[in-house]
């Protein structure tokens, strides 16, 4: 996974921000991946993976499977994922 992207909004903002990640190859096709990150009211950072083209019938989303006390820790857990983990997550949503 690439390094932590820059955040352009206030660090105290609870608005969700979507970050593009490198695509994965699944059954010979490239699948777009995005990470939706937000800071909850309790101060915990939460994130979910979005697979496929945005706003289409084929788009799939995980639950908020990423949780951390800091945005930096959340990004570390995303960076620790390997392609085979992402393919398994995507496969579980089909």
């Amino acid at each position: 996974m690439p390094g932590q992207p820059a955040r352009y909004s206030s660090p105290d903002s609870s608005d969700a921000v979507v970050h593009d990640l490198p695509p994965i190859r699944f059954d010979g096709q490239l699948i777009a991946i995005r990470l939706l990150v937000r800071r909850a009211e309790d101060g915990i950072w939460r994130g979910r993976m979005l697979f496929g083209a945005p706003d289409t019938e084929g788009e799939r989303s995980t639950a908020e499977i990423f949780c951390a006390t800091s945005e930096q820790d959340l990004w570390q857990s995303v960076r620790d994922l390997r392609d085979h983990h992402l393919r398994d997550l995507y496969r579980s949503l089909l």
Side-chain angles (χ1 to χ4, degrees):
M1 288 284 118
Q4 178 179 343
R7 176 177 272 278
Y8 296 104
S9 60
S10 165
D12 295 330
S13 174
S14 62
D15 294 339
V17 178
V18 178
H19 301 278
D20 290 326
L21 301 176
I24 58 168
R25 188 164 295 281
F26 184 81
D27 283 345
Q29 294 182 341
L30 281 179
I31 307 297
I33 303 176
R34 293 171 320 286
L35 181 69
L36 186 139
V37 178
R38 70 180 183 93
R39 186 171 185 192
E41 290 179 13
D42 60 3
I44 300 296
W45 288 90
R46 302 182 186 278
R48 68 177 60 227
M49 288 285 193
L50 306 168
F51 295 92
D55 301 323
T56 65
E57 221 175 272
E59 183 180 41
R60 303 283 188 255
S61 173
T62 67
E64 288 182 326
I65 58 175
F66 300 98
C67 297
T69 55
S70 72
E71 188 177 17
Q72 198 170 33
D73 288 344
L74 184 135
W75 277 104
Q76 184 60 48
S77 64
V78 172
R79 279 192 298 273
D80 288 344
L81 290 175
R82 302 295 179 248
D83 281 353
H84 65 277
H85 296 124
L86 294 170
R87 282 192 298 273
D88 287 344
L89 274 172
Y90 179 67
R91 186 182 2 252
S92 74
L93 298 171
L94 292 180

